[in-house]
Amino acid sequence: MKSYYVMTLFPEMIENAASFSITGRAIRDEKISVKAFDIRDYTKDPHRHVDDAPYGGGAGMLMQVQPIHDCFLAILEHCGGIPRVLHLSPQGRCFDQRLAEELAKEEELVFLCGHYEGVDERALELLHTENISIGDYVLTGGELPALVMIDAISRLVSGVLNKEASHEIESFSNGLLEYPQYTRPEIYEGKKVPEILLSGDHKKVDCWRQRQSLLRTKERRPELYEAYIRSHPEEALEGAE
């Protein structure tokens, strides 16, 4: 079972959100575990404060090193080794499908959710954190990015999805966006399902889907298309599509 530990000021937010949908089922099936640790539980401040003004002045408050470090030490008591620690930060490496696949191989992961104006740098050094970002924008805290990453990572864990091949044909798994899909009814408001999908010819359907993936990626994410074609030049679309 994969174990994911989240260091946060809002443990209920993590545990409640993780209890739904595929992630929740994976927890109930004991494929993964998600446990939130409240950083406030480890502060030595009698008023449970975990933040203070930054040295040198500046706006806002910083999360203090002591409660974060002690929270991490408590997590280590549950771990079989030294886990990778991911600090959710807009300054970090951009999270993508390849990184999700890499992290899905880890048995244990720790997510550090910052708040206020950030985290005392010494905490990041002591925990040997890797900075990870889910996009070029600023959020109130790291809880939503942690949940996004846990969702993306856990669905790649063996046995989490009903069909092992499900994640292999999703967008980004092969460098392309996923092809359009259809289900019943066959005709709705005059819009018909493409005839080839009704043909029963699986080889032709596969070819159609690959071409649609190429077309969609070229139109919507040209940089992904160009990267894919560099390694698959034989699949390049010719002329105007």
Side-chain angles (χ1 to χ4, degrees):
M1 179 170 64
K2 308 284 188 176
S3 298
Y4 305 134
Y5 304 97
V6 184
M7 304 170 64
T8 174
L9 300 180
F10 301 97
E12 298 88 354
M13 181 178 179
I14 296 296
E15 292 181 344
N16 288 345
S19 67
F20 292 93
S21 190
I22 290 174
T23 307
R25 187 180 68 210
I27 293 171
R28 292 188 291 274
D29 291 345
E30 298 185 345
K31 302 297 183 184
I32 67 168
S33 70
V34 178
K35 183 171 177 55
F37 282 71
D38 190 342
I39 296 171
R40 292 188 191 279
D41 289 344
Y42 300 90
T43 181
K44 291 181 169 56
D45 183 272
H47 303 292
R48 286 172 56 86
H49 291 159
V50 295
D51 62 307
D52 208 334
Y55 282 116
M61 306 286 276
L62 286 179
M63 293 181 68
Q64 296 170 296
V65 57
Q66 176 271 314
I68 292 175
H69 186 228
D70 285 358
C71 181
F72 178 66
L73 294 178
I75 290 174
L76 287 183
E77 295 178 6
H78 298 264
C79 296
I82 303 299
R84 290 176 71 170
V85 183
L86 311 174
H87 173 226
L88 292 313
S89 167
Q91 299 184 22
R93 171 185 174 186
C94 192
F95 182 69
D96 57 16
Q97 190 68 18
R98 287 193 179 131
L99 182 51
E101 291 169 356
E102 175 187 325
L103 294 173
K105 299 174 184 176
E106 300 287 340
E107 294 301 316
E108 298 168 321
L109 292 170
V110 175
F111 298 83
L112 170 58
C113 302
H115 261 275
Y116 311 117
E117 288 301 310
V119 173
D120 187 311
E121 189 70 20
R122 292 169 294 182
L124 306 181
E125 293 170 356
L126 286 167
L127 274 58
H128 302 286
T129 60
E130 303 173 43
N131 292 317
I132 306 292
S133 169
I134 64 166
D136 293 336
Y137 45 86
V138 179
L139 296 171
T140 303
E143 284 75 18
L144 290 175
L147 288 165
V148 166
M149 292 179 62
I150 290 170
D151 186 289
I153 293 166
S154 62
R155 63 190 291 111
L156 298 173
V157 173
S158 178
V160 167
L161 296 183
N162 286 330
K163 294 182 178 179
E164 288 297 323
S166 293
H167 67 82
E168 296 175 4
I169 58 174
E170 293 178 323
S171 292
F172 307 113
S173 293
N174 65 349
L176 297 174
L177 301 184
E178 192 175 7
Y179 47 78
Q181 299 199 69
Y182 303 84
T183 188
R184 294 182 177 86
E186 186 178 322
I187 303 175
Y188 183 77
E189 295 287 330
K191 292 183 175 294
K192 299 182 64 177
V193 174
E195 289 293 334
I196 194 166
L197 298 180
L198 309 174
S199 67
D201 189 326
H202 296 298
K203 186 174 181 179
K204 287 183 178 180
V205 168
D206 288 344
C207 289
W208 180 86
R209 285 175 169 171
Q210 179 65 6
R211 181 171 177 79
Q212 292 301 310
S213 287
L214 288 163
L215 287 167
R216 179 164 284 190
T217 306
K218 185 177 183 181
E219 175 188 353
R220 299 181 182 182
R221 295 290 302 275
E223 78 285 3
L224 292 180
Y225 172 81
E226 292 300 330
Y228 180 84
I229 292 304
R230 280 197 291 272
S231 56
H232 302 81
E234 72 283 357
E235 295 188 49
L237 298 170
E238 297 181 4
E241 298 291 341

